[in-house]
Amino acid sequence: MGKIWSFIHKLGSPKWFYAISARLMPWFWLAAAVLILVGSVWGLAFAPADYQQGNSFRIIYVHVPAAFLAQSIFVSMAVAGLIFMVWKIKVADMAAAVMAPLGAAMTFISLFSGAVWGVPTWGTWWMWDARLTSMLILLFLYLGVIALRGAFSSRDSGSRAASVLAMVGVINIPIIKYSVDWWYTLHQPATFSVTSRPAMPLEMWAPLLIMVLGFYCFFIAATLMRTRSEILRREANKRWVRELAGGLS
Amino acid sequence: MFAWVGEDRMPSADARPIDNDGRKTGGGEPGGGLVVAVWATLKRDLTLLMRRRSEVLNPLVFFALVITLFPIGISPDPELLATIAPGLLWVAALLAALLSLDSLFRSDYEDGSLEQLLLTPQPLAMLGLAKVAVHWLLTGLPLALMAPVLGIMLALPAGSYLVLAFSLALGTASLSLIGAIGAALTVGLSRGGVLLSLLVLPLYIPVLIFGAGAVQAAIMGDGASAHLAILGALLALSLMLAPWAVAASLRISING
């Protein structure tokens, strides 16, 4: 236990986080690249076409992982905000700050791919279906968090306000999850779940799992990388950062 | 600047060591103290708002005005209006409630009485709740009472008027509570108004769904009790959680 705690304590210090993430990051980038490459080639070229939707179903290999990430990033952002508010760990706030634009981008990707998917499936770009609507709400929540953080002139106040808002907004996540039950919906029921047996055949389902894993690895790698630059930006006056910069030039 | 980092409660703790001791030795004092403080906050806010009548009346006028815009913008056809009336009334009432949020903590922030509120030994969450209650009494409740009149103008089918008023009364209480979080977060910002709506509107959507759904269900004759029950549940949830978020947000706004 003692070792684990001291590791967590070290992770909370920007300097140690910078050092540890340098070792972890390449592996996540590698895993993300391999998984996304394998998953997209398999999914786009080798998986069988859907008997109803033909080839247009293949957008699922982008749409579903992005939608997964869009929701998970909001939760992890709120958790990071909670850690920052309770234990005052600055690295947690830096991670939360860089996660918000990533999550908003993922939400946008899932909305956009959903709209593109809607053309062959529904014959229209936009349908007020439950899950598209709650994704749109999620995008607004992300934009609110980003805007609120930027609105404060003091960075610390902005960080804490954004943390509170992220925690309040995370109440929206279960609403997104259960919106399928709450409203009548045109969308297909949840296409993919880890626990129950998938209705899709394995050849369609396996590449999707690989893509989801790849997207998660990408998210972790991108968060680590962006948090590292955020650390350098915020700690620019610290000696270790100056030494690092001096050593590089 | 950095003095505040990691010292969230320091200002209030510094300013009230005597109060704190007094509370500890005072025995049954805190309970009575809390009730007195909440009652005083309620009375003070009611008095202040009743002296600024226009601030109370403006959301109501806004409500009526927005409802007037729809028949002009869409069509005066009563049948068409009747089908969209529940949603229109709910959206317009929601926007009217939103409009009045910005002033919830604004004047207290500007004249410094919000800082005094932070310094009191009573929990800030409860005092914030009292302010929200006043906001609902003078915004949500009048909107709910006024909505049936506007419903007549929109040819809202008979049998749904009571549900409309009741769902609005229940729903606007949740809206005031959720909105107070946004108002507390943006009170320190000079141009918080638009940002406030950006923060709060997405969180309003569940209330809107079940509020408008209740009226819709009453028109269909399905019975609105399920929708009203969920509205009540949303109110219970926000009543439980929102005051703490409001208190945390006020602390952030004052310290920043």
Side-chain angles (χ1 to χ4, degrees), chain A residues 52-133:
Chain A
Q52 258 182 332
Q53 300 185 15
N55 278 324
S56 70
F57 98 96
R58 292 182 202 279
I59 206 160
I60 200 178
Y61 295 114
V62 179
H63 177 74
V64 170
F68 267 42
L69 265 191
Q71 298 174 25
S72 327
I73 293 178
F74 204 97
V75 176
S76 31
M77 194 171 74
V79 170
L82 183 75
I83 293 173
F84 171 67
M85 288 295 275
V86 175
W87 290 287
K88 312 284 171 200
I89 293 172
K90 274 189 277 174
V91 173
D93 175 58
M94 298 180 198
V98 302
M99 274 178 206
L102 261 176
M106 284 297 163
T107 316
F108 181 77
I109 289 173
S110 94
L111 270 176
F112 183 76
S113 58
V116 172
W117 199 0
V119 174
T121 316
W122 298 326
T124 170
W125 287 93
W126 183 263
M127 191 70 95
W128 285 100
D129 120 288
R131 286 200 285 169
L132 276 182
T133 309

Side-chain angles (χ1 to χ4, degrees), chain B residues 3-17 119 251 255:
Chain B
W4 303 127
V5 181
E7 293 179 323
D8 191 18
R9 294 191 175 76
M10 278 314 277
S12 51
D14 267 344
R16 49 168 233 220
L119 294 177
R251 289 215 165 85
N255 290 348

Side-chain angles (χ1 to χ4, degrees), chain A residues 63 110-111 114-115 117-118 122 124-137 176 179-190, chain B residues 209:
Chain A
H63 177 74
S110 94
L111 270 176
W117 199 0
W122 298 326
T124 170
W125 287 93
W126 183 263
M127 191 70 95
W128 285 100
D129 120 288
R131 286 200 285 169
L132 276 182
T133 309
S134 39
M135 268 301 173
L136 188 64
I137 300 168
I176 288 167
S179 60
V180 180
D181 305 331
W182 284 0
W183 300 310
Y184 172 75
T185 168
L186 270 169
H187 217 44
Q188 294 99 327
Chain B
I209 288 165

Side-chain angles (χ1 to χ4, degrees), chain B residues 133-201:
Chain B
V134 170
H135 178 258
W136 175 75
L137 270 177
L138 294 181
T139 312
L141 199 58
L143 284 174
L145 294 176
M146 191 178 160
V149 180
L150 297 172
I152 298 172
M153 292 165 73
L154 288 182
L156 189 72
S160 57
Y161 287 85
L162 199 63
V163 173
L164 174 68
F166 192 59
S167 70
L168 269 173
L170 261 181
T172 48
S174 306
L175 298 186
S176 292
L177 280 162
I178 300 167
I181 304 172
L185 281 172
T186 53
V187 70
L189 306 169
S190 49
R191 280 185 198 81
V194 182
L195 181 62
L196 173 62
S197 6
L198 180 58
L199 304 185
V200 162
L201 278 179

Side-chain angles (χ1 to χ4, degrees), chain A:
Chain A
M1 276 311 276
K3 263 189 180 171
I4 295 172
W5 277 115
S6 72
F7 180 75
I8 290 173
H9 273 286
K10 277 181 185 171
L11 217 54
S13 118
K15 187 181 173 186
W16 275 96
F17 185 92
Y18 193 83
I20 293 167
S21 58
R23 267 182 280 159
L24 289 176
M25 202 174 59
W27 295 105
F28 281 108
W29 276 125
L30 187 70
V34 170
L35 286 171
I36 290 177
L37 194 70
V38 170
S40 44
V41 170
W42 189 358
L44 296 184
F46 295 104
D50 187 75
Y51 76 101
Q52 258 182 332
Q53 300 185 15
N55 278 324
S56 70
F57 98 96
R58 292 182 202 279
I59 206 160
I60 200 178
Y61 295 114
V62 179
H63 177 74
V64 170
F68 267 42
L69 265 191
Q71 298 174 25
S72 327
I73 293 178
F74 204 97
V75 176
S76 31
M77 194 171 74
V79 170
L82 183 75
I83 293 173
F84 171 67
M85 288 295 275
V86 175
W87 290 287
K88 312 284 171 200
I89 293 172
K90 274 189 277 174
V91 173
D93 175 58
M94 298 180 198
V98 302
M99 274 178 206
L102 261 176
M106 284 297 163
T107 316
F108 181 77
I109 289 173
S110 94
L111 270 176
F112 183 76
S113 58
V116 172
W117 199 0
V119 174
T121 316
W122 298 326
T124 170
W125 287 93
W126 183 263
M127 191 70 95
W128 285 100
D129 120 288
R131 286 200 285 169
L132 276 182
T133 309
S134 39
M135 268 301 173
L136 188 64
I137 300 168
L138 187 65
L139 182 64
F140 289 137
L141 281 174
Y142 272 119
L143 296 181
V145 172
I146 296 171
L148 184 65
R149 184 183 287 275
F152 281 84
S153 50
S154 137
R155 184 164 55 204
D156 185 54
S157 296
S159 300
R160 292 197 288 153
S163 303
V164 169
L165 188 65
M167 283 188 268
V168 171
V170 99
I171 296 169
N172 197 55
I173 298 289
I175 298 173
I176 288 167
K177 286 282 182 204
Y178 292 108
S179 60
V180 180
D181 305 331
W182 284 0
W183 300 310
Y184 172 75
T185 168
L186 270 169
H187 217 44
Q188 294 99 327
T191 41
F192 176 67
S193 93
V194 187
T195 47
S196 65
R197 204 177 63 81
M200 280 193 284
L202 181 70
E203 305 87 71
M204 284 167 141
W205 177 80
L208 183 57
L209 179 65
I210 292 176
M211 283 301 272
V212 169
L213 288 176
F215 266 61
Y216 270 97
C217 288
F218 167 78
F219 160 59
I220 296 170
T223 306
L224 286 178
M225 190 179 81
R226 289 170 54 87
T227 307
R228 282 162 61 83
S229 32
E230 188 74 13
I231 287 175
L232 291 186
R233 192 178 304 133
R234 291 202 199 175
E235 307 273 292
N237 293 327
K238 296 282 164 66
R239 218 175 74 193
W240 70 272
V241 177
R242 284 196 182 157
E243 276 168 10
L244 196 72
L248 282 178
S249 60

